[in-house]
Amino acid sequence: VNKQRFIYDKFAKYLTGFNQTLVEKCDICFSEKDYENAIKYYSEALELNSSNAIYYSNRSLAYLRTECYGYALADATKALEIDKNYIKGYYRRATSNMALGKFKAALKDYETVVRVRPNDKDARMKYQECNKIVKQKAFERAIASDETKKSVVDSLDIENMTIEDDYVGPKLEDGKVTLKFMKEMMDWFKDQNKLHRKCAYQILVQVKDVLSKLPSLVEIELKEVKKITICGDTHGQYYDLLNIFKLNGLPSETNPYLFNGDFVDRGSFSVEVILTLFGFKLLYPNNFHVLRGNHETDNMNQMYGFEGEVKAKYTGQMFQLFSEVFQWLPLAQCINSKVLVMHGGLFSEDGVTLEDLRKIDRNRQPPDSGPMCDLLWSDPQPQNGRSVSKRGVSCQFGPDVTERFLEQNKLDYIVRSHEVKAEGYEVTHSGKCITVFSAPNYCDQMGNKGAYIHLRGSDLKPEFHQFTAVPHPNVKPMAYANTLMQLGMM
């Protein structure tokens, strides 16, 4: 018995020491912002000690950093199941719920933190901010009615808006976007100047009219001799957008583009990005395409910076107009009846057809489930079948799901975005699911490359082009984000 006890104690000390080494590796990964490996090492530590609330809580934070909000929520909840007095667990769970737009659940956890730590100024600030959002949402529901909501456009008098004499920036020519205006506007933005509000309103009103006439599924034919450039997320990284145009040429009737959602949020030049993209949509309506991403939605904009940025640079009224315009962005695009492009991915159930996509009523905030939600939110996974989403919204879909969808709809492959990739792109599901991401060194910390894809009408074979981040003015990402999404807490 004594010998067995000796062996057990020695093994226990070994495991403790091994666990300590793993945790030290996690700390190094956090300091180097290598969150993927931090998740890996905390997972290994949890295999050795699955009753450690701190490990779950810290892995939750790593998941938050990588935008896996569903996994972050599950880990924070597990930490609290192990130790209901572990305050950081309530913080992590609240932050996860905020990221998922579950404000009431977040408020409950912030209340717990404030009750236990009444003198914690950061906790009280987060509680007050969350409480304000909950009350605002309740007010919005209370005043909602079955009547058709009045558009911001109806209350605008753009014609009589005055452009002051001291404004020397670009102006639309007879109310129209021209190539000269676009070049001047891009240079104006590059020097950190603000477009006059009259010009911004003109662009938004006109692009809303253009987008509202498009179907939810846009279908185009690419002639054999023609190519199109597909770009992924740009997330307010304006100077990287300019670099794409420098490397690949400005949009034109002979150089068409498709930007695949998530133009705004996180990056602090989202206004400049979206006005540039909308300007080109007006200039080349049949050769410049834009699709909706999960960040072209009110909840995301409220938390991740775009709403705050528009209000800081213009007004709350202009943000409401942006919201109206975003609701008219198409959800998917089919090229030559063979390649389907969407921001997120495929569906939570089999049997969805292209005809189903054509019928989607998109002029709204996305629902919590269904094809519209999936197009904006889902992600591929390596294993067959479907699983719970790491984001806490929609699902993850395997290669068999992709194969069945393509076969049913007579498609060759899908192109989607939505996920940071180290090389800027990734080919999965035996070449039938391609991810492209065009925001290099995402949020100034991920170190990833950006990429865009060329598709030629002759063969539709994807050609990948990578690029790295370029310098930008000293304005940090998330500068306009809700304070609740500043994750460096506790």
Side-chain angles (χ1 to χ4, degrees):
V1 172
N2 288 337
K3 186 176 180 180
Q4 287 178 333
R5 173 59 61 186
F6 172 77
I7 293 172
Y8 173 82
D9 288 345
K10 191 170 183 179
F11 185 62
K13 287 180 181 178
Y14 166 76
L15 287 180
T16 301
F18 187 62
N19 238 15
Q20 186 62 38
T21 301
L22 286 173
V23 173
E24 288 172 357
K25 287 182 177 179
C26 290
D27 292 340
I28 293 171
C29 289
F30 264 102
S31 66
E32 295 177 350
K33 299 179 180 177
D34 182 5
Y35 304 117
E36 296 290 349
N37 274 319
I39 291 167
K40 173 188 171 185
Y41 292 133
Y42 271 121
S43 298
E44 291 178 12
L46 282 164
E47 288 178 8
L48 297 171
N49 183 0
S50 61
S51 60
N52 191 310
I54 295 174
Y55 294 171
Y56 278 108
S57 178
N58 287 352
R59 191 173 69 173
S60 175
L61 179 57
Y63 278 134
L64 283 167
R65 298 288 192 184
T66 55
E67 302 181 25
C68 297
Y69 303 126
Y71 289 174
L73 179 61
D75 271 4
T77 300
K78 183 66 176 178
L80 293 171
E81 288 174 1
I82 295 169
D83 183 0
K84 66 179 181 180
N85 296 315
Y86 186 55
I87 295 302
K88 281 188 181 180
Y90 291 100
Y91 252 108
R92 302 284 188 260
R93 191 164 70 177
T95 306
S96 303
N97 275 317
M98 287 299 300
L100 292 167
K102 299 177 180 178
F103 304 116
K104 282 188 176 180
L107 183 62
K108 186 176 179 182
D109 282 336
Y110 283 132
E111 284 174 345
T112 300
V113 177
V114 169
R115 186 169 64 251
V116 175
R117 294 186 173 179
N119 296 322
D120 187 329
K121 292 182 180 179
D122 183 65
R124 183 160 294 281
M125 180 274 293
K126 286 180 167 59
Y127 165 75
Q128 291 171 345
E129 185 67 23
C130 185
N131 192 36
K132 186 170 82 173
I133 292 173
V134 169
K135 289 180 177 178
Q136 178 186 336
K137 295 291 182 184
F139 175 74
E140 289 171 356
R141 286 193 300 272
I143 63 173
S145 69
D146 293 333
E147 297 177 15
T148 303
K149 185 179 177 183
K150 189 176 181 181
S151 170
V152 170
V153 177
D154 297 333
S155 62
L156 292 175
D157 185 9
I158 297 176
E159 201 65 37
N160 289 317
M161 287 183 184
T162 302
I163 296 181
E164 296 76 12
D165 293 338
D166 59 353
Y167 175 76
V168 294
K171 303 173 188 175
L172 278 72
E173 299 176 28
D174 296 323
K176 301 294 182 183
V177 169
T178 62
L179 181 58
K180 177 174 177 286
F181 168 81
M182 289 303 301
K183 289 179 177 179
E184 289 177 353
M185 182 175 71
M186 287 188 290
D187 287 341
W188 186 249
F189 284 157
K190 186 177 180 180
D191 293 333
Q192 290 186 269
N193 295 306
K194 188 172 73 172
L195 185 68
H196 194 278
R197 68 186 183 101
K198 179 172 183 174
C199 302
Y201 274 125
Q202 286 174 314
I203 290 172
L204 289 175
V205 170
Q206 291 177 33
V207 84
K208 181 185 177 186
D209 183 61
V210 169
L211 294 175
S212 67
K213 294 173 182 175
L214 295 175
S216 291
L217 171 63
V218 175
E219 297 169 85
I220 65 168
E221 286 296 321
L222 195 62
K223 294 180 180 178
E224 279 197 13
V225 295
K226 207 168 183 180
K227 75 169 175 27
I228 190 170
T229 301
I230 303 176
C231 297
D233 304 37
T234 47
H235 275 300
Q237 296 185 197
Y238 179 69
Y239 296 85
D240 293 309
L241 174 65
L242 292 183
N243 190 38
I244 291 173
F245 292 150
K246 179 180 178 181
L247 295 171
N248 194 59
L250 286 177
S252 69
E253 292 180 355
T254 57
N255 191 27
Y257 277 83
L258 166 55
F259 278 82
N260 194 23
D262 279 15
F263 321 117
V264 301
D265 282 339
R266 297 195 176 276
S268 296
F269 301 95
S270 293
V271 166
E272 290 78 5
V273 166
I274 193 61
L275 288 176
T276 299
L277 297 181
F278 281 169
F280 277 120
K281 180 62 183 172
L282 292 174
L283 187 58
Y284 305 115
N286 298 318
N287 294 283
F288 191 89
H289 309 281
V290 282
L291 299 179
R292 192 175 187 178
N294 63 301
H295 276 268
E296 279 72 56
T297 58
D298 286 355
N299 275 354
M300 293 292 106
N301 296 161
Q302 185 175 39
M303 300 309 300
Y304 292 99
F306 185 60
E307 179 178 346
E309 182 180 343
V310 177
K311 287 179 177 179
K313 294 177 179 178
Y314 294 100
T315 63
Q317 182 191 50
M318 184 175 287
F319 172 74
Q320 290 303 317
L321 183 52
F322 269 113
S323 176
E324 289 183 25
V325 176
F326 287 166
Q327 292 187 166
W328 282 114
L329 285 164
L331 301 175
Q333 186 146 339
C334 194
I335 302 172
N336 289 12
S337 302
K338 290 297 179 183
V339 180
L340 185 66
V341 185
M342 77 290 283
H343 179 73
L346 296 181
F347 307 99
S348 301
E349 296 180 354
D350 284 345
V352 177
T353 66
L354 296 185
E355 184 59 30
D356 293 326
L357 305 189
R358 295 183 187 104
K359 292 177 180 177
I360 293 176
D361 176 15
R362 72 183 187 277
N363 182 26
R364 54 180 171 150
Q365 294 304 306
D368 294 331
S369 61
M372 181 175 177
C373 173
D374 296 331
L375 285 168
L376 301 178
W377 277 100
S378 70
D379 295 293
Q381 64 181 21
Q383 68 272 27
N384 280 337
R386 294 178 175 87
S387 62
V388 175
S389 171
K390 62 189 176 183
R391 301 175 189 268
V393 185
S394 187
C395 70
Q396 295 175 187
F397 60 95
D400 58 329
V401 175
T402 301
E403 184 68 40
R404 288 195 299 271
F405 174 81
L406 295 176
E407 184 176 346
Q408 180 179 8
N409 290 284
K410 300 178 181 178
L411 298 167
D412 290 346
Y413 61 91
I414 65 169
V415 177
R416 40 90 63 182
S417 300
H418 196 39
E419 289 182 286
V420 183
K421 297 298 175 184
E423 296 301 311
Y425 72 94
E426 184 177 63
V427 182
T428 57
H429 295 185
S430 301
K432 295 183 178 180
C433 178
I434 296 171
T435 299
V436 60
F437 192 85
S438 304
N441 194 25
Y442 181 46
C443 290
D444 285 358
Q445 67 180 30
M446 299 304 291
N448 60 291
K449 294 176 183 176
Y452 51 85
I453 300 171
H454 284 165
L455 288 189
R456 300 181 187 278
S458 56
D459 58 10
L460 296 179
K461 182 181 178 181
E463 299 173 8
F464 302 100
H465 299 264
Q466 298 169 295
F467 59 99
T468 55
V470 296
H472 63 76
N474 188 26
V475 181
K476 293 181 179 180
M478 301 285 279
Y480 301 97
N482 190 294
T483 52
L484 289 166
M485 295 316 299
Q486 306 305 318
L487 300 180
M489 74 285 189
M490 298 189 71

